[in-house]
Amino acid sequence: MSTSTSETAPEQVAPQPADVARLREELIRELRELKAIVTPEVERAVRTVPRHLFIPEIPVEEAYAAERHYVTKKDEGGVSISSVSAARIQAMMLEQAEIRPGMRILEIGSGGLNAAMLAELVGESGEVTSIDIDQDVIDRAARLLPAAGYDTVILRCADGEFGVPDHAPFDRIIVTVCARDLPPAWNDQLAEGGRLVVPLRMRGLTRSVAFERNHDQLTDRGYELCGFVPMQGAGEQRERLIPLHGDDVQLRLDDDQQIDADGLRAALSMPRREAWSGTTVGKNNSRFDGLYLWMAMRLPDFGLLAATKAAVDRGLVARSWGLGVPTLLDGDSFAYLTFRATSEAREQFEFGAYGHGPHADMTVEKLASVIRSWDGTSLSARISAFSAGTPDELLPPDALVLARRHTRIAITWPSSSPPASTARQA
Ligand SMILES: C[S@@+](CC[C@H](N)C(=O)[O-])C[C@H]1O[C@@H](n2cnc3c(N)ncnc32)[C@H](O)[C@@H]1O
């Protein structure tokens, strides 16, 4: 189903060692500042692995840029399906995994660069198995890894949904592709007490969650904001895209909810209503991800409203954040998150809601009240995964429960005390 459309560029002239050394140290400094590198072990792995040898298509400066990822393949629809991940995301996930020498690691989603850092972290007494569903990606890794001096990584073309039973158990499973579910093989092939680090999509929001195996339950040990290409194969479950104004304004839906698409399309042409929450953040506070997750948990019918720059310029919708903004779907009306500066100095910003539709006045108020109920923190939600057959009474009370084919994902927010009746199934 996929076509190779890499961002082709001629292979670069070999860089000077002094340039590489300088770029590497600058990268490490930046990753430390971003708190993507925390431990000396991960710092050493980032320092040792020559990144530029794994992305020969781009200039060496870009290979050592903290946020630069490199797309190696897109599908026919133009969706990126394979890439070399950005240095910040790789380092952050390596920290989440807490890898020690001698461990056995499974990486799902290959390419070579991250596998090389995993090999550095486990050392000669450990073992790294790296798999990809795409033979082209495995071929690339098989070419680049030995060329960079890494010839012990076990490479295999396989669907990560089923893990690699003949190399299990693993102390760590690192998934480097966006998953919506946690297939049984991951839990079964993880050693007791082992860690699974996985970019998990919950109501359209992706967080890299570090889970620890405790018998049949996976309990989170923290999570971080991230973005990844979608899973292919047996576990593929892409979002639905609902056009509200051609491809310029779209709703991204991750749940199976029924929506009034015609009503919402008509709503967009109705006058805009607004409500303001009184909840503010400083201009340097970029950690809105806690608010996003809070809204995803508290809004009964949740979607992400995404718009092109052209649509924003034409005033169809207010500014949009990349992949979309949290949106309350309310029958034939909807309201989405927005913000405004509270003074001319633009030091503080207040969150609010813009809405459209026949009863948008009420919808914006509902959204504003959910913003008001946020405690302002980013990372205090707890995410646990239970097998699909787990009865309600064994799930945490007051959880938002996301029902998947293999798992029930329960999200709770310990600092809140919602009434028990708010436990919902999505
Ligand atoms: C972001 S890339 C991996 C990046 C890589 N770990 C690195 O070193 O930067 C995601 C990869 O996951 C692969 N993939 C997608 N679905 C998969 C599946 N079900 N099993 C294994 N690999 C899969 C894609 O082919 C793609 O190459």
Side-chain angles (χ1 to χ4, degrees):
M1 73 154 261
S2 63
T3 57
S4 178
T5 55
S6 66
E7 294 172 5
T8 45
E11 297 216 350
Q12 304 295 313
V13 180
Q16 295 297 317
D19 290 340
V20 172
R22 176 181 53 80
L23 292 167
R24 201 171 47 211
E25 291 313 309
E26 282 172 11
L27 172 65
I28 287 168
R29 198 172 50 244
E30 190 176 349
L31 294 179
R32 278 213 164 268
E33 276 169 22
L34 293 167
K35 306 226 178 329
I37 293 182
V38 181
T39 60
E41 290 81 6
V42 171
E43 177 172 328
R44 196 189 66 81
V46 173
R47 179 169 285 119
T48 311
V49 173
R51 290 189 71 79
H52 60 289
L53 297 187
F54 290 92
I55 337 173
E57 300 91 340
I58 61 176
V60 66
E61 292 77 12
E62 291 184 32
Y64 287 89
E67 301 286 359
R68 173 71 155 103
H69 72 287
Y70 176 70
V71 175
T72 52
K73 207 171 233 194
K74 294 184 177 177
D75 68 13
E76 317 77 6
V79 176
S80 302
I81 52 168
S82 188
S83 63
V84 181
S85 302
R88 184 182 65 79
I89 298 287
Q90 288 177 330
M92 177 197 87
M93 291 178 79
L94 293 176
E95 290 287 5
Q96 286 187 292
E98 295 189 357
I99 297 163
R100 302 283 170 261
M103 283 186 168
R104 299 166 59 80
I105 315 277
L106 172 63
E107 180 192 43
I108 296 176
S110 192
L113 179 44
N114 197 49
M117 289 193 283
L118 292 169
E120 286 292 341
L121 286 163
V122 299
E124 285 179 10
S125 57
E127 185 180 279
V128 177
T129 304
S130 178
I131 66 169
D132 202 286
I133 200 165
D134 187 331
Q135 185 65 48
D136 290 346
V137 178
I138 289 297
D139 290 347
R140 179 184 170 99
R143 191 164 41 87
L144 297 176
L145 275 164
Y150 297 91
D151 49 16
T152 58
V153 175
I154 300 161
L155 293 169
R156 191 178 289 183
C157 183
D159 187 339
E161 174 89 358
F162 308 105
V164 183
D166 50 314
H167 282 269
F170 299 101
D171 301 297
R172 302 289 185 259
I173 299 179
I174 321 285
V175 184
T176 63
V177 58
C178 185
R180 192 173 177 269
D181 198 356
L182 307 175
W186 297 356
N187 197 52
D188 294 349
Q189 294 177 25
L190 197 59
E192 182 61 25
R195 273 195 179 204
L196 165 69
V197 178
V198 54
L200 187 62
R201 201 175 80 219
M202 297 160 288
R203 301 200 118 182
L205 306 176
T206 306
R207 300 290 181 269
S208 173
V209 187
F211 286 109
E212 206 166 86
R213 180 179 170 175
N214 180 7
H215 301 291
D216 279 343
Q217 189 188 330
L218 290 166
T219 309
D220 91 274
R221 294 283 174 257
Y223 57 89
E224 299 282 349
L225 189 65
C226 69
F228 267 92
V229 300
M231 180 79 76
Q232 303 168 56
E236 176 166 333
Q237 294 178 64
R238 297 223 189 159
E239 294 167 297
R240 283 186 289 155
L241 288 178
I242 312 290
L244 294 189
H245 193 277
D247 289 343
D248 276 345
V249 183
Q250 293 187 316
L251 267 178
R252 292 175 47 218
L253 299 182
D254 199 14
D255 299 327
D256 298 330
Q257 75 259 54
Q258 298 294 318
I259 60 149
D260 178 1
D262 290 335
L264 294 173
R265 267 190 281 276
L268 186 61
S269 58
M270 295 181 194
R272 190 171 83 189
R273 302 286 180 235
E274 60 187 69
W276 294 94
S277 65
T279 303
T280 58
V281 284
K283 74 170 176 191
N284 294 324
N285 183 347
S286 57
R287 302 306 301 261
F288 301 169
D289 47 311
L291 175 59
Y292 276 36
L293 204 54
W294 177 248
M295 294 175 82
M297 194 176 95
R298 301 306 296 263
L299 294 176
D301 239 336
F302 181 83
L304 291 161
L305 186 75
T308 59
K309 183 172 180 306
V312 175
D313 290 346
R314 284 171 56 197
L316 286 172
V317 289
R319 87 199 92 209
S320 172
W321 287 263
L323 292 171
V325 291
T327 299
L328 168 61
L329 306 173
D330 199 8
D332 55 7
S333 301
F334 67 94
Y336 59 94
L337 178 70
T338 189
F339 61 82
R340 65 180 177 189
T342 55
S343 70
E344 277 184 18
R346 302 184 71 78
E347 296 287 333
Q348 287 279 324
F349 292 85
E350 179 185 11
F351 290 116
Y354 283 152
H356 298 268
H359 55 276
D361 284 335
M362 277 179 343
T363 309
V364 290
E365 282 304 336
K366 285 185 203 170
L367 193 70
S369 81
V370 169
I371 300 170
R372 262 176 233 124
S373 66
W374 178 49
D375 72 355
T377 62
S378 288
L379 296 170
S380 55
R382 300 304 310 268
I383 302 164
S384 313
F386 300 80
S387 58
T390 308
D392 284 353
E393 54 274 22
L394 294 185
L395 300 179
D398 306 326
L400 166 72
V401 180
L402 301 172
R404 303 293 193 237
R405 184 149 59 104
H406 302 299
T407 43
R408 303 187 76 189
I409 296 164
I411 307 171
T412 53
W413 207 284
S415 58
S416 72
S417 49
S421 61
T422 57
R424 284 172 284 118
Q425 187 97 11

